[in-house]
Amino acid sequence: LELALGKAKKETRLDFLTNLISKRGLDEDLNRAEKSYERYGIDYSIVFFDLDKFKMLNDTFGHEAGDVVLKQTGVILNQIKRDVDIVGRYGGEEFLALLPNTPLNGAKVFAQKVRSGIEEFEFLYKGERLTVTVSGGCVNRKDFSDQKSMIDGSDKLLYRAKEAGRNR
């Protein structure tokens, strides 16, 4: 029973498609990071990512192609992140990276690695190459009064990147 409970807990923390932390797991980790920030002053950054024109990809090639892209994006994110970083699927084609003890410049370096890694990867579906890019918004906790405004700030920067032409 304990083994089954442990397995069930692990499954609720992992997104089955991307093998990244689930939204529920991200919420738990964000709460833990916030408590460490409030109590010990341990700073952190986050990056919101969104796959560009993902709906168009699904409409053109089908949801199976979209699933292939999501799954491979999970592999790419897991390869780029450090052991201490937490990366998860926030929902749909949105991802969030929680970067402990990382200043804003470090978050930007990470985001750029992800952006270029996805742009340069050869996504294939049924022998056809799919062009995939990602946009992101980076923020640092100390620049905001609370975690909610930090998350909102990251989301706003993400949409500003999309409005500026995507793949940013």
Side-chain angles (χ1 to χ4, degrees):
L1 189 58
E2 283 183 26
L3 287 173
L5 181 60
K7 183 180 178 197
K9 275 186 175 181
K10 184 177 180 184
E11 286 174 359
T12 62
R13 274 193 57 82
L14 280 183
D15 177 69
F16 74 97
L17 184 61
T18 62
N19 207 31
L20 296 172
I21 301 294
S22 67
K23 171 78 163 72
R24 174 180 284 175
L26 281 172
D27 287 343
E28 291 169 1
D29 291 330
L30 283 165
N31 286 335
R32 208 171 1 265
E34 185 63 15
K35 286 178 183 173
S36 292
Y37 176 79
E38 290 171 352
R39 186 163 190 166
Y40 305 111
I42 300 172
D43 199 16
Y44 63 97
S45 292
I46 63 169
V47 185
F48 249 125
F49 292 105
D50 188 81
L51 294 173
D52 297 325
K53 300 183 180 181
F54 189 75
K55 183 183 180 332
M56 189 170 76
L57 183 138
N58 271 338
D59 291 347
T60 304
F61 297 99
H63 290 278
E64 192 175 284
D67 286 353
V68 167
V69 169
L70 290 170
K71 187 173 188 165
Q72 190 57 52
T73 298
V75 171
I76 292 167
L77 288 167
N78 269 325
Q79 288 174 344
I80 293 172
K81 76 176 190 69
R82 304 170 302 178
D83 288 343
V84 297
D85 298 335
I86 297 160
V87 181
R89 185 173 177 197
Y90 201 76
E93 70 276 9
E94 273 193 328
F95 301 88
L96 184 138
L98 169 60
L99 311 169
N101 252 338
T102 304
L104 185 58
N105 282 341
K108 289 178 182 179
V109 168
F110 173 83
Q112 180 61 22
K113 285 179 183 177
V114 170
R115 190 207 60 76
S116 63
I118 288 175
E119 179 184 37
E120 294 166 8
F121 187 81
E122 192 170 318
F123 290 89
L124 294 174
Y125 178 69
K126 294 187 176 179
E128 189 163 346
R129 189 181 193 299
L130 305 175
T131 301
V132 180
T133 59
V134 68
S135 297
C138 307
V139 294
N140 183 260
R141 176 61 181 91
K142 69 180 176 190
D143 296 328
F144 294 86
S145 60
D146 57 51
Q147 190 181 64
K148 184 184 179 333
S149 63
M150 175 193 191
I151 292 171
D152 291 345
S154 180
D155 200 39
K156 286 177 185 169
L157 289 172
L158 164 64
Y159 282 95
R160 192 182 314 162
K162 287 190 170 288
E163 290 170 358
R166 295 182 171 83
N167 196 25
R168 301 180 187 283

